[in-house]
Amino acid sequence: MINIAVLGYGTVGSGVVDVINTNKDIVNKKSGQEINIKYVLDLREFPGDPVMDILTHDYNDILNDPEVEVVAEVMGGVNPAYTFVKSALEAGKSVCTSNKELVAKHGPELIKIAKEHNRNFFFEASVGGGIPIIRPLNTSITADDVMEITGILNGTTNYILTKMSKEGLDFDTVLKEAQDLGYAERNPSADVDGFDACRKIAILTSLAYGKHVDFEDIYTEGITKITDTDFKYANILGTSVKLFGSAVKQDDKYYAYVAPVMIGNNHPLYAVNDVFNAIMVKGNVLGPVMFYGSGAGKLPTASAVVSDIVDAIKHLNDNVEVEWTEEKLSLTDFNESVKKFFVRVKATTELADVQNIFGQVEKIEAGVDGEYAFITDAMSEADFNSKVENLEGFITRIRVQD
């Protein structure tokens, strides 16, 4: 029998307990031993819940118990999660986490500590919820030079953009609906401003290239400036707008960003709608492969955590190598990255003036009073920003990806 502890009995923590209890025979068979949840840590009480029999309010009960071999950290946030996880690893306990903030900030350090103590730090659930992506990047896509990772990494923003596209609703209306349904927090900034997706693409980029990517170095733009008018044009063009987290290797330079992108119906991520997530990984030999599924939610995320628990038990005294060092990956200035741009301008802007600045472009009409749009040729961010300063009547722009 293997004793484990669960830190946090919120949405994901209760899901971990549920998955282990519901699929007890399956997880015990796959781990090769009976899994016993000896402790659940939480500051709250849960009257009437069976978890009360194993509930503790003191983390030291877990840390100082040599019978606890694996700890599942599902508290969220950096503190006190970092202190708890670090001390657990130093005490010779493997740790599994769904905590993207923790992994993005302290991942390489915790991986190193786990290796030093011949235990493991697993974090499959930190990106994509129930979608298996961390393990494939670490163990499956190892013969390829990864040229690109692009993902729809946040279910809340994807839900909002999908509703805006299909129902013609404005951002504020759909955001309120998402909040009422529990898809968005009362303070939705982490989602709609792109910070959640930023931490996730930082983790994926670090794993793909083996060096630490600081999420604070990644250009991040959310969806708060996307309007229902943008989708009128998108529908005319047969395109859609998605919030992408992307990392690209090009000519030995590395670019990473989070931003809304307009894509055509031939793009692999075009049909990913509602709260679903998907991640495309493109190798120089393998080509593109897709990972799709529920990117969040109680049971999908808990399922990924429990899978890590099983893996940790199977490798109790055998560190699984994770190539992610503390050496920092140098990202190239995002202003050097090259894309096309969808641009909306006021109707008073002469097409000849647009073409004088951007070259030959076609006018796009969507029945919107007082404006029209066009799509540029590929150019750098810096070049576009320089040109658009000279464009009278500029309204907004969205990056375009073929």
Side-chain angles (χ1 to χ4, degrees), residues 95-172:
V95 176
C96 309
T97 184
S98 60
N99 190 336
K100 57 187 171 290
E101 292 92 351
L102 174 69
V103 177
K105 189 171 183 64
H106 296 290
E109 177 193 359
L110 297 173
I111 289 167
K112 181 180 179 182
I113 293 171
K115 185 175 182 178
E116 289 171 348
H117 291 81
N118 207 30
R119 289 299 174 110
N120 289 289
F121 177 60
F122 290 147
F123 45 93
E124 182 65 66
S126 66
V127 178
I131 302 172
I133 180 61
I134 302 296
R135 197 169 284 107
L137 270 180
N138 190 47
T139 62
S140 301
I141 308 174
T142 54
D144 276 65
D145 188 5
V146 175
M147 310 308 294
E148 179 184 352
I149 303 175
T150 294
I152 295 171
L153 301 171
N154 182 275
T156 299
T157 51
N158 203 42
Y159 173 83
I160 292 172
L161 294 174
T162 299
K163 293 282 284 188
M164 291 176 69
S165 173
K166 294 186 179 301
E167 299 182 20
L169 301 173
D170 64 85
F171 174 81
D172 289 337

Side-chain angles (χ1 to χ4, degrees), residues 235-251:
N235 291 335
I236 290 289
L237 293 167
T239 62
S240 190
V241 179
K242 306 290 187 183
L243 183 69
F244 276 2
S246 189
V248 177
K249 180 182 179 182
Q250 191 174 60
D251 301 326

Side-chain angles (χ1 to χ4, degrees), residues 31-82:
S31 64
Q33 300 197 53
E34 180 183 351
I35 298 175
N36 176 54
I37 305 173
K38 188 171 183 180
Y39 300 100
V40 170
L41 175 73
D42 205 288
L43 294 176
R44 300 165 294 175
E45 300 286 344
F46 301 92
D49 191 315
V51 78
M52 285 297 295
D53 295 336
I54 54 174
L55 187 68
T56 179
H57 304 307
D58 186 354
Y59 172 66
N60 288 314
D61 290 341
I62 297 167
L63 181 65
N64 297 325
D65 188 338
E67 292 185 349
V68 175
E69 301 273 13
V70 180
V71 173
E73 185 280 305
V74 285
M75 303 166 59
V78 175
N79 292 308
Y82 168 67

Side-chain angles (χ1 to χ4, degrees), residues 302-349:
S303 175
V305 174
V306 175
S307 293
D308 274 351
I309 292 171
V310 169
D311 210 18
I313 292 170
K314 290 166 70 174
H315 297 90
L316 263 188
N317 297 295
D318 175 24
N319 176 258
V320 176
E321 188 74 25
V322 178
E323 189 179 350
W324 179 356
T325 69
E326 293 180 278
E327 181 183 352
K328 194 170 181 180
L329 181 71
S330 180
L331 296 178
T332 302
D333 188 341
F334 182 65
N335 283 320
E336 294 184 26
S337 66
V338 174
K339 294 173 191 67
K340 296 179 180 178
F341 295 85
F342 163 83
V343 183
R344 288 167 49 202
V345 294
K346 294 178 181 178
T348 53
T349 305

